Amino acid sequence: MAVTIKDVATLAGVSPSTVSRTCKDHPSISKETKERVRRAMAELGYEPNVSSHISIGQIPQIISIILPSSSKYVYENAFYLEAIRGISQFCNGREYISTVITGQDDSEILHAIQTLAKDDRMGGFIVLYSKQNDTIIDYLYNEGLLYVIIGKAKQYANQTIYIDNDNLLAGREATEYLYSLGHRKIAYIGSEYRMLFSADRKAGYQLALLEHNLPVNPNYCIEVDSISFHDPKLFHTLLEQKERPSAAVVSDDILAVALERVCIEHQLSIPDDLSIVSFNNSLFARITSPQLTSIDVNSYQLGIEAASQLINHIENPNLMATKIIVPHSLVIRNSCKQLNV
């Protein structure tokens, strides 16, 4: 079996990312640590997969921002744009170069990562999403590449730097707000189950219902993946039920806008017939009529914190993996109605 970078890290008593940076003669690694890692490499017969060992010195390093694979949906979502804005501005201030990796599928993204990883200027990666069974995360971890996740780490959680909101609490608070207005038939519309932010918001929604002794009706919960996003069939099914919900928690402003469009087709008024609380507080929430009540997850701040932590770990490679929670806030507008109960 081929020797891996994790084998070297275990023998040397360091992290895989320290081995990776030793291979590139990164100046942040001490001379003693480099010697220990190189002894372990020699003992195991490990051959590093790098193009050269020239010291990067003062050459600006690259921070690569990884978007989720998608043919279109990702590029329409303001969350990613705001996070990238925060990352880029922080990198500019620290004289790091930021670049974006994207693709229609994971294999296309992996190829781009493999190409960049050979560059001696490569400092680390920021993954703008978190999902279950992610081949991208597997590759970054197994190759000892430094990375930060915006979202909750599912794989290698104890060894992963991640920046997140408390999405369970946010989903709970969105549902509690609708309950306080008198709603008892509350639906949840989320992204595909593999996306952890939506799974946590759904769990918070379910927790709030149970705390008020309300049933969790499976017919009120729908998940929309990137393939079926532009197919309104699921929304029609939800709104055509005999016991139609009076309110909905929606995991993203774009999904909420799609729901509004279907409501118009059914001649349903918002908020008179359906109240909506969505997430992200993006431009979409502000340009709809009525404007959407939305939870602001501070995506710009998520980007800043991700870049800050990544650069901090690049420059201080022996730091423990950091977990940071960025607070959210409920922005109340006109998409929710008080019911008489």
Side-chain angles (χ1 to χ4, degrees), residues 57-122:
Q58 298 303 312
I59 299 174
Q61 293 188 72
I62 298 171
I63 302 296
S64 287
I65 306 164
I66 303 175
L67 286 162
S69 57
S70 174
S71 60
K72 183 177 180 182
Y73 169 70
V74 165
Y75 315 110
E76 299 173 340
N77 195 317
F79 170 85
Y80 299 113
L81 298 178
E82 278 294 287
I84 291 171
R85 184 170 73 92
I87 293 166
S88 297
Q89 289 189 0
F90 192 90
C91 287
N92 292 342
R94 296 291 291 271
E95 298 186 351
Y96 280 70
I97 299 169
S98 59
T99 185
V100 174
I101 297 175
T102 185
Q104 293 197 42
D105 53 39
D106 286 356
S107 62
E108 186 177 337
I109 292 174
L110 267 177
H111 179 73
I113 293 171
Q114 290 164 352
T115 301
L116 278 169
K118 297 175 183 178
D119 193 318
D120 289 326
R121 299 170 299 163
M122 193 65 239

Side-chain angles (χ1 to χ4, degrees), residues 260-278:
E260 284 188 327
R261 185 177 67 239
V262 176
C263 284
I264 292 172
E265 294 178 20
H266 283 265
Q267 297 183 331
L268 298 175
S269 171
I270 296 171
D272 292 336
D273 298 309
L274 185 73
S275 292
I276 297 175
V277 176
S278 63

Side-chain angles (χ1 to χ4, degrees), residues 43-70:
E43 182 177 335
L44 295 171
Y46 176 73
E47 293 292 335
N49 182 26
V50 293
S51 57
S52 68
H53 303 301
I54 300 173
S55 174
I56 61 174
Q58 298 303 312
I59 299 174
Q61 293 188 72
I62 298 171
I63 302 296
S64 287
I65 306 164
I66 303 175
L67 286 162
S69 57
S70 174

Side-chain angles (χ1 to χ4, degrees), residues 190-303:
S191 304
E192 58 180 307
Y193 74 95
R194 291 181 63 203
M195 303 304 286
L196 296 182
F197 74 89
S198 185
D200 280 352
R201 290 169 188 173
K202 181 180 179 181
Y205 152 84
Q206 292 173 329
L207 179 61
L209 293 182
L210 293 173
E211 286 176 341
H212 292 290
N213 296 315
L214 295 177
V216 178
N217 185 344
N219 295 323
Y220 282 179
C221 297
I222 63 174
E223 293 171 338
V224 182
D225 59 27
S226 57
I227 296 174
S228 60
F229 176 76
H230 297 287
D231 182 357
K233 183 186 301 182
L234 292 174
F235 296 115
H236 285 293
T237 301
L238 177 69
L239 298 176
E240 289 169 358
Q241 295 182 51
K242 183 177 180 181
E243 293 290 329
R244 190 182 67 238
S246 66
V249 175
V250 187
S251 71
D252 185 276
D253 291 334
I254 297 178
L255 284 177
V257 171
L259 176 62
E260 284 188 327
R261 185 177 67 239
V262 176
C263 284
I264 292 172
E265 294 178 20
H266 283 265
Q267 297 183 331
L268 298 175
S269 171
I270 296 171
D272 292 336
D273 298 309
L274 185 73
S275 292
I276 297 175
V277 176
S278 63
F279 280 78
N280 291 347
N281 192 35
S282 67
L283 176 64
F284 293 100
R286 301 191 295 274
I287 64 174
T288 57
S289 180
Q291 293 184 328
L292 290 169
T293 292
S294 185
I295 289 186
D296 192 336
V297 298
N298 293 307
S299 48
Y300 173 71
Q301 189 64 34
L302 286 167

Side-chain angles (χ1 to χ4, degrees), residues 177 276-278 291-294 330-336:
Y177 176 67
I276 297 175
V277 176
S278 63
Q291 293 184 328
L292 290 169
T293 292
S294 185
L330 178 66
V331 181
I332 297 174
R333 296 195 180 93
N334 301 317
S335 63
C336 298

